[in-house]
Amino acid sequence: MSRTTPRTLLAAAATAALAVATAITPAAAAPAPDTVPAVPAAEAGGTAAASGFWACTVPSGYTYTSARNSYACSGGSYTAKEYYVQPPAEGLWACAPVSGYTHIAVQNSHTCSAASYPQTAFLIYKPVTGMWACSVPSGFTYTAVRQGHECSTGSYTATTFQLRAL
């Protein structure tokens, strides 16, 4: 009769659990349209993108993910708002709505404000049919509404829209 050690049994159980989990989990499962995808920490603050730069204005086709008071944009005699500018990208917390994108969540952000008060930041994504969004972009209509906190910066609820492309 063979002796099986607890370590051998544990290793066999772990291998079996991994095999079952792999078999029932889709390889490339996309998040459900009504959930807010996780945002990498670098994007949440908006300060680590390789294509970003500080500027005195936000050029057309770009957005900004952070703001600060700086003498660079005023000629040195007073402080003026300076923006950390980036091209828009899905999953980016932008400090202003972006044309061609919709937002699926909002939050109060001191990063977006060069003052002591917070400003709204928007979690932006390209709109697709079935997505729940805080606004209805051009070229879309909506097929359902619901109340939730993801589109509200306060303790109240706000309407979200289930999008459908026209």
PDB file of all heavy atoms in Angstrom, residues 85-122:
ATOM      1  N   VAL A  85      -1.193  67.273 -21.198  1.00  0.00           N
ATOM      2  CA  VAL A  85      -1.934  66.960 -22.422  1.00  0.00           C
ATOM      3  C   VAL A  85      -1.570  65.562 -22.910  1.00  0.00           C
ATOM      4  O   VAL A  85      -0.399  65.183 -22.912  1.00  0.00           O
ATOM      5  CB  VAL A  85      -1.607  68.021 -23.507  1.00  0.00           C
ATOM      6  CG1 VAL A  85      -2.263  67.680 -24.822  1.00  0.00           C
ATOM      7  CG2 VAL A  85      -2.019  69.402 -23.027  1.00  0.00           C
ATOM      8  N   GLN A  86      -2.598  64.818 -23.330  1.00  0.00           N
ATOM      9  CA  GLN A  86      -2.411  63.472 -23.874  1.00  0.00           C
ATOM     10  C   GLN A  86      -3.416  63.227 -24.987  1.00  0.00           C
ATOM     11  O   GLN A  86      -4.495  63.812 -24.981  1.00  0.00           O
ATOM     12  CB  GLN A  86      -2.658  62.409 -22.796  1.00  0.00           C
ATOM     13  CG  GLN A  86      -1.648  62.376 -21.700  1.00  0.00           C
ATOM     14  CD  GLN A  86      -1.953  61.248 -20.734  1.00  0.00           C
ATOM     15  OE1 GLN A  86      -2.099  61.496 -19.572  1.00  0.00           O
ATOM     16  NE2 GLN A  86      -2.044  60.026 -21.216  1.00  0.00           N
ATOM     17  N   PRO A  87      -3.101  62.329 -25.914  1.00  0.00           N
ATOM     18  CA  PRO A  87      -4.127  61.909 -26.861  1.00  0.00           C
ATOM     19  C   PRO A  87      -5.166  61.081 -26.107  1.00  0.00           C
ATOM     20  O   PRO A  87      -4.817  60.370 -25.162  1.00  0.00           O
ATOM     21  CB  PRO A  87      -3.379  61.053 -27.880  1.00  0.00           C
ATOM     22  CG  PRO A  87      -2.056  60.755 -27.287  1.00  0.00           C
ATOM     23  CD  PRO A  87      -1.803  61.721 -26.179  1.00  0.00           C
ATOM     24  N   PRO A  88      -6.446  61.192 -26.469  1.00  0.00           N
ATOM     25  CA  PRO A  88      -7.449  60.386 -25.760  1.00  0.00           C
ATOM     26  C   PRO A  88      -7.224  58.899 -25.987  1.00  0.00           C
ATOM     27  O   PRO A  88      -6.723  58.486 -27.035  1.00  0.00           O
ATOM     28  CB  PRO A  88      -8.776  60.845 -26.373  1.00  0.00           C
ATOM     29  CG  PRO A  88      -8.430  61.568 -27.616  1.00  0.00           C
ATOM     30  CD  PRO A  88      -7.011  62.004 -27.525  1.00  0.00           C
ATOM     31  N   ALA A  89      -7.573  58.090 -24.996  1.00  0.00           N
ATOM     32  CA  ALA A  89      -7.435  56.640 -25.078  1.00  0.00           C
ATOM     33  C   ALA A  89      -8.478  56.003 -24.175  1.00  0.00           C
ATOM     34  O   ALA A  89      -8.859  56.577 -23.152  1.00  0.00           O
ATOM     35  CB  ALA A  89      -6.033  56.208 -24.643  1.00  0.00           C
ATOM     36  N   GLU A  90      -8.934  54.828 -24.550  1.00  0.00           N
ATOM     37  CA  GLU A  90      -9.915  54.123 -23.736  1.00  0.00           C
ATOM     38  C   GLU A  90      -9.342  53.821 -22.358  1.00  0.00           C
ATOM     39  O   GLU A  90      -8.186  53.444 -22.220  1.00  0.00           O
ATOM     40  CB  GLU A  90     -10.355  52.842 -24.431  1.00  0.00           C
ATOM     41  CG  GLU A  90     -11.187  53.119 -25.666  1.00  0.00           C
ATOM     42  CD  GLU A  90     -11.991  51.924 -26.114  1.00  0.00           C
ATOM     43  OE1 GLU A  90     -11.754  50.805 -25.632  1.00  0.00           O
ATOM     44  OE2 GLU A  90     -12.880  52.121 -26.954  1.00  0.00           O
ATOM     45  N   GLY A  91     -10.175  54.018 -21.326  1.00  0.00           N
ATOM     46  CA  GLY A  91      -9.753  53.745 -19.956  1.00  0.00           C
ATOM     47  C   GLY A  91      -8.996  54.891 -19.312  1.00  0.00           C
ATOM     48  O   GLY A  91      -8.503  54.753 -18.205  1.00  0.00           O
ATOM     49  N   LEU A  92      -8.929  56.034 -19.966  1.00  0.00           N
ATOM     50  CA  LEU A  92      -8.213  57.196 -19.450  1.00  0.00           C
ATOM     51  C   LEU A  92      -9.158  58.059 -18.623  1.00  0.00           C
ATOM     52  O   LEU A  92     -10.299  58.293 -19.023  1.00  0.00           O
ATOM     53  CB  LEU A  92      -7.667  58.021 -20.626  1.00  0.00           C
ATOM     54  CG  LEU A  92      -6.802  59.220 -20.301  1.00  0.00           C
ATOM     55  CD1 LEU A  92      -5.427  58.748 -19.811  1.00  0.00           C
ATOM     56  CD2 LEU A  92      -6.633  60.086 -21.543  1.00  0.00           C
ATOM     57  N   TRP A  93      -8.696  58.515 -17.469  1.00  0.00           N
ATOM     58  CA  TRP A  93      -9.450  59.500 -16.693  1.00  0.00           C
ATOM     59  C   TRP A  93      -9.088  60.861 -17.256  1.00  0.00           C
ATOM     60  O   TRP A  93      -7.991  61.369 -17.029  1.00  0.00           O
ATOM     61  CB  TRP A  93      -9.119  59.425 -15.204  1.00  0.00           C
ATOM     62  CG  TRP A  93      -9.809  58.305 -14.504  1.00  0.00           C
ATOM     63  CD1 TRP A  93      -9.280  57.088 -14.181  1.00  0.00           C
ATOM     64  CD2 TRP A  93     -11.162  58.287 -14.049  1.00  0.00           C
ATOM     65  NE1 TRP A  93     -10.230  56.319 -13.548  1.00  0.00           N
ATOM     66  CE2 TRP A  93     -11.399  57.031 -13.449  1.00  0.00           C
ATOM     67  CE3 TRP A  93     -12.218  59.210 -14.085  1.00  0.00           C
ATOM     68  CZ2 TRP A  93     -12.629  56.687 -12.889  1.00  0.00           C
ATOM     69  CZ3 TRP A  93     -13.439  58.856 -13.524  1.00  0.00           C
ATOM     70  CH2 TRP A  93     -13.637  57.606 -12.937  1.00  0.00           C
ATOM     71  N   ALA A  94      -9.988  61.455 -18.024  1.00  0.00           N
ATOM     72  CA  ALA A  94      -9.760  62.753 -18.659  1.00  0.00           C
ATOM     73  C   ALA A  94     -10.429  63.846 -17.829  1.00  0.00           C
ATOM     74  O   ALA A  94     -11.453  63.618 -17.188  1.00  0.00           O
ATOM     75  CB  ALA A  94     -10.321  62.745 -20.074  1.00  0.00           C
ATOM     76  N   CYS A  95      -9.865  65.029 -17.881  1.00  0.00           N
ATOM     77  CA  CYS A  95     -10.398  66.147 -17.107  1.00  0.00           C
ATOM     78  C   CYS A  95     -11.490  66.910 -17.839  1.00  0.00           C
ATOM     79  O   CYS A  95     -12.044  67.868 -17.296  1.00  0.00           O
ATOM     80  CB  CYS A  95      -9.266  67.092 -16.716  1.00  0.00           C
ATOM     81  SG  CYS A  95      -8.050  66.318 -15.619  1.00  0.00           S
ATOM     82  N   ALA A  96     -11.813  66.506 -19.044  1.00  0.00           N
ATOM     83  CA  ALA A  96     -12.890  67.120 -19.823  1.00  0.00           C
ATOM     84  C   ALA A  96     -13.450  66.062 -20.766  1.00  0.00           C
ATOM     85  O   ALA A  96     -12.727  65.147 -21.173  1.00  0.00           O
ATOM     86  CB  ALA A  96     -12.351  68.306 -20.621  1.00  0.00           C
ATOM     87  N   PRO A  97     -14.738  66.154 -21.110  1.00  0.00           N
ATOM     88  CA  PRO A  97     -15.283  65.217 -22.103  1.00  0.00           C
ATOM     89  C   PRO A  97     -14.502  65.329 -23.414  1.00  0.00           C
ATOM     90  O   PRO A  97     -13.966  66.387 -23.743  1.00  0.00           O
ATOM     91  CB  PRO A  97     -16.728  65.694 -22.288  1.00  0.00           C
ATOM     92  CG  PRO A  97     -17.042  66.441 -21.041  1.00  0.00           C
ATOM     93  CD  PRO A  97     -15.747  67.084 -20.612  1.00  0.00           C
ATOM     94  N   VAL A  98     -14.433  64.225 -24.147  1.00  0.00           N
ATOM     95  CA  VAL A  98     -13.616  64.170 -25.364  1.00  0.00           C
ATOM     96  C   VAL A  98     -14.499  63.807 -26.551  1.00  0.00           C
ATOM     97  O   VAL A  98     -15.252  62.832 -26.489  1.00  0.00           O
ATOM     98  CB  VAL A  98     -12.485  63.125 -25.200  1.00  0.00           C
ATOM     99  CG1 VAL A  98     -11.641  63.039 -26.451  1.00  0.00           C
ATOM    100  CG2 VAL A  98     -11.617  63.471 -23.999  1.00  0.00           C
ATOM    101  N   SER A  99     -14.391  64.550 -27.628  1.00  0.00           N
ATOM    102  CA  SER A  99     -15.152  64.271 -28.841  1.00  0.00           C
ATOM    103  C   SER A  99     -14.797  62.884 -29.388  1.00  0.00           C
ATOM    104  O   SER A  99     -13.630  62.498 -29.428  1.00  0.00           O
ATOM    105  CB  SER A  99     -14.833  65.342 -29.900  1.00  0.00           C
ATOM    106  OG  SER A  99     -15.547  65.075 -31.080  1.00  0.00           O
ATOM    107  N   GLY A 100     -15.817  62.116 -29.777  1.00  0.00           N
ATOM    108  CA  GLY A 100     -15.597  60.776 -30.300  1.00  0.00           C
ATOM    109  C   GLY A 100     -15.570  59.713 -29.218  1.00  0.00           C
ATOM    110  O   GLY A 100     -15.456  58.527 -29.502  1.00  0.00           O
ATOM    111  N   TYR A 101     -15.656  60.121 -27.957  1.00  0.00           N
ATOM    112  CA  TYR A 101     -15.668  59.220 -26.809  1.00  0.00           C
ATOM    113  C   TYR A 101     -16.904  59.530 -25.976  1.00  0.00           C
ATOM    114  O   TYR A 101     -17.527  60.575 -26.113  1.00  0.00           O
ATOM    115  CB  TYR A 101     -14.418  59.416 -25.929  1.00  0.00           C
ATOM    116  CG  TYR A 101     -13.156  58.897 -26.548  1.00  0.00           C
ATOM    117  CD1 TYR A 101     -12.486  59.614 -27.539  1.00  0.00           C
ATOM    118  CD2 TYR A 101     -12.611  57.682 -26.148  1.00  0.00           C
ATOM    119  CE1 TYR A 101     -11.322  59.130 -28.116  1.00  0.00           C
ATOM    120  CE2 TYR A 101     -11.445  57.197 -26.713  1.00  0.00           C
ATOM    121  CZ  TYR A 101     -10.810  57.925 -27.697  1.00  0.00           C
ATOM    122  OH  TYR A 101      -9.659  57.449 -28.263  1.00  0.00           O
ATOM    123  N   THR A 102     -17.258  58.615 -25.116  1.00  0.00           N
ATOM    124  CA  THR A 102     -18.252  58.870 -24.096  1.00  0.00           C
ATOM    125  C   THR A 102     -17.619  58.521 -22.764  1.00  0.00           C
ATOM    126  O   THR A 102     -16.510  57.994 -22.736  1.00  0.00           O
ATOM    127  CB  THR A 102     -19.554  58.065 -24.335  1.00  0.00           C
ATOM    128  OG1 THR A 102     -20.556  58.536 -23.440  1.00  0.00           O
ATOM    129  CG2 THR A 102     -19.342  56.572 -24.153  1.00  0.00           C
ATOM    130  N   HIS A 103     -18.272  58.839 -21.683  1.00  0.00           N
ATOM    131  CA  HIS A 103     -17.701  58.476 -20.381  1.00  0.00           C
ATOM    132  C   HIS A 103     -18.664  57.564 -19.647  1.00  0.00           C
ATOM    133  O   HIS A 103     -19.875  57.674 -19.774  1.00  0.00           O
ATOM    134  CB  HIS A 103     -17.321  59.712 -19.559  1.00  0.00           C
ATOM    135  CG  HIS A 103     -18.444  60.662 -19.278  1.00  0.00           C
ATOM    136  ND1 HIS A 103     -18.963  61.513 -20.226  1.00  0.00           N
ATOM    137  CD2 HIS A 103     -19.150  60.892 -18.150  1.00  0.00           C
ATOM    138  CE1 HIS A 103     -19.924  62.226 -19.695  1.00  0.00           C
ATOM    139  NE2 HIS A 103     -20.070  61.864 -18.431  1.00  0.00           N
ATOM    140  N   ILE A 104     -18.070  56.610 -18.915  1.00  0.00           N
ATOM    141  CA  ILE A 104     -18.863  55.600 -18.214  1.00  0.00           C
ATOM    142  C   ILE A 104     -18.830  55.792 -16.706  1.00  0.00           C
ATOM    143  O   ILE A 104     -19.512  55.086 -15.988  1.00  0.00           O
ATOM    144  CB  ILE A 104     -18.414  54.169 -18.584  1.00  0.00           C
ATOM    145  CG1 ILE A 104     -16.973  53.907 -18.159  1.00  0.00           C
ATOM    146  CG2 ILE A 104     -18.590  53.925 -20.071  1.00  0.00           C
ATOM    147  CD1 ILE A 104     -16.574  52.443 -18.260  1.00  0.00           C
ATOM    148  N   ALA A 105     -18.051  56.755 -16.239  1.00  0.00           N
ATOM    149  CA  ALA A 105     -17.984  57.061 -14.811  1.00  0.00           C
ATOM    150  C   ALA A 105     -17.380  58.447 -14.643  1.00  0.00           C
ATOM    151  O   ALA A 105     -16.681  58.948 -15.537  1.00  0.00           O
ATOM    152  CB  ALA A 105     -17.138  56.022 -14.070  1.00  0.00           C
ATOM    153  N   VAL A 106     -17.656  59.048 -13.491  1.00  0.00           N
ATOM    154  CA  VAL A 106     -17.054  60.334 -13.145  1.00  0.00           C
ATOM    155  C   VAL A 106     -16.549  60.243 -11.709  1.00  0.00           C
ATOM    156  O   VAL A 106     -16.983  59.388 -10.937  1.00  0.00           O
ATOM    157  CB  VAL A 106     -18.055  61.509 -13.285  1.00  0.00           C
ATOM    158  CG1 VAL A 106     -18.489  61.685 -14.722  1.00  0.00           C
ATOM    159  CG2 VAL A 106     -19.252  61.335 -12.374  1.00  0.00           C
ATOM    160  N   GLN A 107     -15.636  61.133 -11.386  1.00  0.00           N
ATOM    161  CA  GLN A 107     -15.151  61.234 -10.012  1.00  0.00           C
ATOM    162  C   GLN A 107     -14.652  62.646  -9.768  1.00  0.00           C
ATOM    163  O   GLN A 107     -14.273  63.351 -10.707  1.00  0.00           O
ATOM    164  CB  GLN A 107     -14.040  60.224  -9.731  1.00  0.00           C
ATOM    165  CG  GLN A 107     -12.745  60.487 -10.461  1.00  0.00           C
ATOM    166  CD  GLN A 107     -11.672  59.456 -10.141  1.00  0.00           C
ATOM    167  OE1 GLN A 107     -11.891  58.506  -9.418  1.00  0.00           O
ATOM    168  NE2 GLN A 107     -10.487  59.642 -10.684  1.00  0.00           N
ATOM    169  N   ASN A 108     -14.677  63.066  -8.509  1.00  0.00           N
ATOM    170  CA  ASN A 108     -14.064  64.332  -8.138  1.00  0.00           C
ATOM    171  C   ASN A 108     -12.563  64.132  -8.119  1.00  0.00           C
ATOM    172  O   ASN A 108     -12.076  63.127  -7.608  1.00  0.00           O
ATOM    173  CB  ASN A 108     -14.547  64.793  -6.761  1.00  0.00           C
ATOM    174  CG  ASN A 108     -15.947  65.346  -6.821  1.00  0.00           C
ATOM    175  OD1 ASN A 108     -16.324  65.997  -7.782  1.00  0.00           O
ATOM    176  ND2 ASN A 108     -16.722  65.088  -5.786  1.00  0.00           N
ATOM    177  N   SER A 109     -11.825  65.086  -8.700  1.00  0.00           N
ATOM    178  CA  SER A 109     -10.380  64.932  -8.801  1.00  0.00           C
ATOM    179  C   SER A 109      -9.664  66.247  -8.518  1.00  0.00           C
ATOM    180  O   SER A 109      -9.943  67.252  -9.167  1.00  0.00           O
ATOM    181  CB  SER A 109     -10.022  64.453 -10.218  1.00  0.00           C
ATOM    182  OG  SER A 109      -8.634  64.504 -10.426  1.00  0.00           O
ATOM    183  N   HIS A 110      -8.745  66.215  -7.569  1.00  0.00           N
ATOM    184  CA  HIS A 110      -7.885  67.374  -7.349  1.00  0.00           C
ATOM    185  C   HIS A 110      -6.800  67.425  -8.423  1.00  0.00           C
ATOM    186  O   HIS A 110      -6.221  68.480  -8.661  1.00  0.00           O
ATOM    187  CB  HIS A 110      -7.263  67.324  -5.955  1.00  0.00           C
ATOM    188  CG  HIS A 110      -8.243  67.651  -4.869  1.00  0.00           C
ATOM    189  ND1 HIS A 110      -8.651  68.920  -4.595  1.00  0.00           N
ATOM    190  CD2 HIS A 110      -8.932  66.854  -4.024  1.00  0.00           C
ATOM    191  CE1 HIS A 110      -9.532  68.918  -3.615  1.00  0.00           C
ATOM    192  NE2 HIS A 110      -9.723  67.659  -3.246  1.00  0.00           N
ATOM    193  N   THR A 111      -6.538  66.305  -9.071  1.00  0.00           N
ATOM    194  CA  THR A 111      -5.542  66.256 -10.138  1.00  0.00           C
ATOM    195  C   THR A 111      -5.952  67.149 -11.308  1.00  0.00           C
ATOM    196  O   THR A 111      -5.115  67.752 -11.960  1.00  0.00           O
ATOM    197  CB  THR A 111      -5.365  64.800 -10.630  1.00  0.00           C
ATOM    198  OG1 THR A 111      -5.037  63.989  -9.521  1.00  0.00           O
ATOM    199  CG2 THR A 111      -4.279  64.693 -11.678  1.00  0.00           C
ATOM    200  N   CYS A 112      -7.254  67.221 -11.571  1.00  0.00           N
ATOM    201  CA  CYS A 112      -7.750  68.003 -12.709  1.00  0.00           C
ATOM    202  C   CYS A 112      -7.847  69.495 -12.414  1.00  0.00           C
ATOM    203  O   CYS A 112      -8.063  70.285 -13.318  1.00  0.00           O
ATOM    204  CB  CYS A 112      -9.122  67.493 -13.145  1.00  0.00           C
ATOM    205  SG  CYS A 112      -9.068  65.861 -13.908  1.00  0.00           S
ATOM    206  N   SER A 113      -7.709  69.869 -11.179  1.00  0.00           N
ATOM    207  CA  SER A 113      -7.882  71.262 -10.794  1.00  0.00           C
ATOM    208  C   SER A 113      -6.551  71.863 -10.370  1.00  0.00           C
ATOM    209  O   SER A 113      -5.802  71.256  -9.617  1.00  0.00           O
ATOM    210  CB  SER A 113      -8.875  71.339  -9.634  1.00  0.00           C
ATOM    211  OG  SER A 113      -8.964  72.655  -9.148  1.00  0.00           O
ATOM    212  N   ALA A 114      -6.302  73.052 -10.820  1.00  0.00           N
ATOM    213  CA  ALA A 114      -5.097  73.760 -10.376  1.00  0.00           C
ATOM    214  C   ALA A 114      -5.394  74.545  -9.107  1.00  0.00           C
ATOM    215  O   ALA A 114      -4.534  75.229  -8.579  1.00  0.00           O
ATOM    216  CB  ALA A 114      -4.603  74.691 -11.481  1.00  0.00           C
ATOM    217  N   ALA A 115      -6.611  74.422  -8.599  1.00  0.00           N
ATOM    218  CA  ALA A 115      -7.015  75.129  -7.387  1.00  0.00           C
ATOM    219  C   ALA A 115      -7.201  74.131  -6.246  1.00  0.00           C
ATOM    220  O   ALA A 115      -6.960  72.936  -6.404  1.00  0.00           O
ATOM    221  CB  ALA A 115      -8.315  75.887  -7.660  1.00  0.00           C
ATOM    222  N   SER A 116      -7.666  74.610  -5.115  1.00  0.00           N
ATOM    223  CA  SER A 116      -7.823  73.747  -3.948  1.00  0.00           C
ATOM    224  C   SER A 116      -9.118  72.934  -3.985  1.00  0.00           C
ATOM    225  O   SER A 116      -9.317  72.054  -3.173  1.00  0.00           O
ATOM    226  CB  SER A 116      -7.785  74.583  -2.667  1.00  0.00           C
ATOM    227  OG  SER A 116      -8.848  75.525  -2.693  1.00  0.00           O
ATOM    228  N   TYR A 117     -10.001  73.227  -4.910  1.00  0.00           N
ATOM    229  CA  TYR A 117     -11.261  72.490  -5.016  1.00  0.00           C
ATOM    230  C   TYR A 117     -11.146  71.415  -6.099  1.00  0.00           C
ATOM    231  O   TYR A 117     -10.387  71.552  -7.047  1.00  0.00           O
ATOM    232  CB  TYR A 117     -12.412  73.445  -5.330  1.00  0.00           C
ATOM    233  CG  TYR A 117     -12.173  74.276  -6.568  1.00  0.00           C
ATOM    234  CD1 TYR A 117     -12.493  73.800  -7.836  1.00  0.00           C
ATOM    235  CD2 TYR A 117     -11.606  75.539  -6.475  1.00  0.00           C
ATOM    236  CE1 TYR A 117     -12.245  74.548  -8.971  1.00  0.00           C
ATOM    237  CE2 TYR A 117     -11.354  76.298  -7.601  1.00  0.00           C
ATOM    238  CZ  TYR A 117     -11.693  75.802  -8.843  1.00  0.00           C
ATOM    239  OH  TYR A 117     -11.438  76.546  -9.976  1.00  0.00           O
ATOM    240  N   PRO A 118     -11.919  70.334  -5.957  1.00  0.00           N
ATOM    241  CA  PRO A 118     -11.859  69.274  -6.982  1.00  0.00           C
ATOM    242  C   PRO A 118     -12.638  69.652  -8.234  1.00  0.00           C
ATOM    243  O   PRO A 118     -13.503  70.524  -8.207  1.00  0.00           O
ATOM    244  CB  PRO A 118     -12.501  68.072  -6.286  1.00  0.00           C
ATOM    245  CG  PRO A 118     -13.434  68.674  -5.295  1.00  0.00           C
ATOM    246  CD  PRO A 118     -12.797  69.962  -4.846  1.00  0.00           C
ATOM    247  N   GLN A 119     -12.312  68.997  -9.306  1.00  0.00           N
ATOM    248  CA  GLN A 119     -12.996  69.152 -10.588  1.00  0.00           C
ATOM    249  C   GLN A 119     -13.375  67.749 -11.052  1.00  0.00           C
ATOM    250  O   GLN A 119     -12.730  66.774 -10.689  1.00  0.00           O
ATOM    251  CB  GLN A 119     -12.051  69.810 -11.606  1.00  0.00           C
ATOM    252  CG  GLN A 119     -12.652  70.019 -12.972  1.00  0.00           C
ATOM    253  CD  GLN A 119     -11.682  70.714 -13.907  1.00  0.00           C
ATOM    254  OE1 GLN A 119     -10.942  71.596 -13.504  1.00  0.00           O
ATOM    255  NE2 GLN A 119     -11.674  70.298 -15.155  1.00  0.00           N
ATOM    256  N   THR A 120     -14.391  67.642 -11.881  1.00  0.00           N
ATOM    257  CA  THR A 120     -14.845  66.338 -12.356  1.00  0.00           C
ATOM    258  C   THR A 120     -13.855  65.740 -13.347  1.00  0.00           C
ATOM    259  O   THR A 120     -13.364  66.431 -14.245  1.00  0.00           O
ATOM    260  CB  THR A 120     -16.224  66.468 -13.033  1.00  0.00           C
ATOM    261  OG1 THR A 120     -17.137  67.034 -12.088  1.00  0.00           O
ATOM    262  CG2 THR A 120     -16.750  65.126 -13.490  1.00  0.00           C
ATOM    263  N   ALA A 121     -13.571  64.453 -13.189  1.00  0.00           N
ATOM    264  CA  ALA A 121     -12.778  63.672 -14.144  1.00  0.00           C
ATOM    265  C   ALA A 121     -13.719  62.639 -14.767  1.00  0.00           C
ATOM    266  O   ALA A 121     -14.650  62.155 -14.123  1.00  0.00           O
ATOM    267  CB  ALA A 121     -11.610  62.983 -13.456  1.00  0.00           C
ATOM    268  N   PHE A 122     -13.477  62.301 -16.034  1.00  0.00           N
ATOM    269  CA  PHE A 122     -14.351  61.434 -16.815  1.00  0.00           C
ATOM    270  C   PHE A 122     -13.589  60.200 -17.280  1.00  0.00           C
ATOM    271  O   PHE A 122     -12.519  60.331 -17.881  1.00  0.00           O
ATOM    272  CB  PHE A 122     -14.861  62.189 -18.050  1.00  0.00           C
ATOM    273  CG  PHE A 122     -15.546  63.487 -17.709  1.00  0.00           C
ATOM    274  CD1 PHE A 122     -14.820  64.657 -17.544  1.00  0.00           C
ATOM    275  CD2 PHE A 122     -16.921  63.532 -17.542  1.00  0.00           C
ATOM    276  CE1 PHE A 122     -15.444  65.853 -17.231  1.00  0.00           C
ATOM    277  CE2 PHE A 122     -17.560  64.723 -17.217  1.00  0.00           C
ATOM    278  CZ  PHE A 122     -16.820  65.890 -17.065  1.00  0.00           C
TER     279      PHE A 122
END
